[in-house]
Amino acid sequence: LMVRTVFHLPLRQAEGFVTAVFGLMGIDLPVPDHTTLSRRGPGLPDRLPAVPATGPGEILVDSTGLRVVEVKSGRKGRDRKTTAKRREWRKLHLGMGSGRFVASELTTWRRADAAVLPEVMDQVDGRIDRFLADGAFDGQPTYDLLISRRQGLPIPEVIVPPRRADRVRSRELDMIRQRDRHIAYVQTHGKRAWQTATGYTRRNLIEAGVSRYKRIIGRRLRTRSLAAQRAETRIGVHVLNRMLDLGRPITQRVA
């Protein structure tokens, strides 16, 4: 509750809120002022903490829009001030592995999902056995990127819904033939059967993660510059990972 409250407060109010909480808890620690937080925010590390591998690597990728409201003041006529609000959007690209966020990248809404994929995958360490994403990532660049990351490892399984109108094209690389098999299966059995057969339904994990970000962290950005907004989203993603670590049950087989 405290995390959610702080994220929904401006920096000035968050500073006073944390000071009051520290006072109630008897903690003698100084709270940075809002100006210091605003200036040092963009300098936070770019990468999320590495996630230890617990089995075959499965990466799920998705994106969502976050709202930005810019308030601009101007003058109209003599001694008359006007205030205008311009609504803009940013696009948050997320990568998930082992149930946690392993990559985050914030861009303008003009950049396509597939074009940002190299920046997302640069933040992913370790072996990738399966890659799941929606149809926005379908195309030759996605397959070429995952091929270049193999480094002698087995070819990862790429599960991306192909465009229905595409034709099957014979190619030499096994990874490219995966897409041909997806196209043939969809044309023969339908898209719903393809989703069940390939395990594409597991992509609901990243969709649930995106929903969790918007419900807990929020649907809008509070900082103004793109660098500060990237730091803001990285903090939010890191907080969600910490919350997951604290609340995830540990199961053990006893019989």
Side-chain angles (χ1 to χ4, degrees), residues 13-81:
Q13 298 179 21
E15 177 188 348
F17 175 79
V18 175
T19 302
V21 171
F22 281 1
L24 292 174
M25 299 176 64
I27 300 176
D28 185 17
L29 286 177
V31 178
D33 59 88
H34 61 279
T35 303
T36 302
L37 294 175
S38 180
R39 289 177 177 176
R40 295 186 179 181
L44 290 173
D46 292 334
R47 297 177 66 90
L48 294 171
V51 179
T54 57
E58 181 182 71
I59 299 299
L60 303 94
V61 178
D62 200 3
S63 66
T64 186
L66 298 177
R67 185 163 57 94
V68 180
V69 176
E70 293 186 356
V71 179
K72 292 189 175 182
S73 60
R75 293 184 178 275
K76 182 179 180 182
R78 198 174 196 181
D79 297 330
R80 292 180 61 188
K81 292 184 179 180

Side-chain angles (χ1 to χ4, degrees), residues 180-241:
D180 292 340
R181 292 195 294 269
H182 292 325
I183 294 173
Y185 199 100
V186 169
Q187 293 176 346
T188 304
H189 304 282
K191 191 172 183 178
R192 188 178 296 273
W194 172 85
Q195 291 177 350
T196 304
T198 58
Y200 180 75
T201 52
R202 284 186 55 81
R203 210 182 68 83
N204 60 9
L205 296 175
I206 184 67
E207 293 178 348
V210 170
S211 176
R212 190 167 71 249
Y213 183 97
K214 287 191 169 184
R215 285 185 288 108
I216 297 177
I217 306 303
R219 298 175 176 269
R220 59 170 293 183
L221 297 166
R222 291 157 184 81
T223 49
R224 296 185 179 182
S225 67
L226 184 58
Q229 291 166 356
R230 284 172 176 161
E232 180 182 344
T233 54
R234 284 194 297 269
I235 293 173
V237 170
H238 183 63
V239 167
L240 292 178
N241 283 343

Side-chain angles (χ1 to χ4, degrees), residues 244-253:
L244 185 64
D245 292 340
L246 294 174
R248 177 182 292 181
I250 300 176
T251 59
Q252 295 183 352
R253 186 174 180 178

Side-chain angles (χ1 to χ4, degrees), residues 121-134:
M121 297 304 295
D122 284 343
Q123 303 176 37
V124 179
D125 299 322
R127 171 176 172 175
I128 299 177
D129 295 287
R130 300 182 76 198
F131 175 86
L132 290 90
D134 59 20

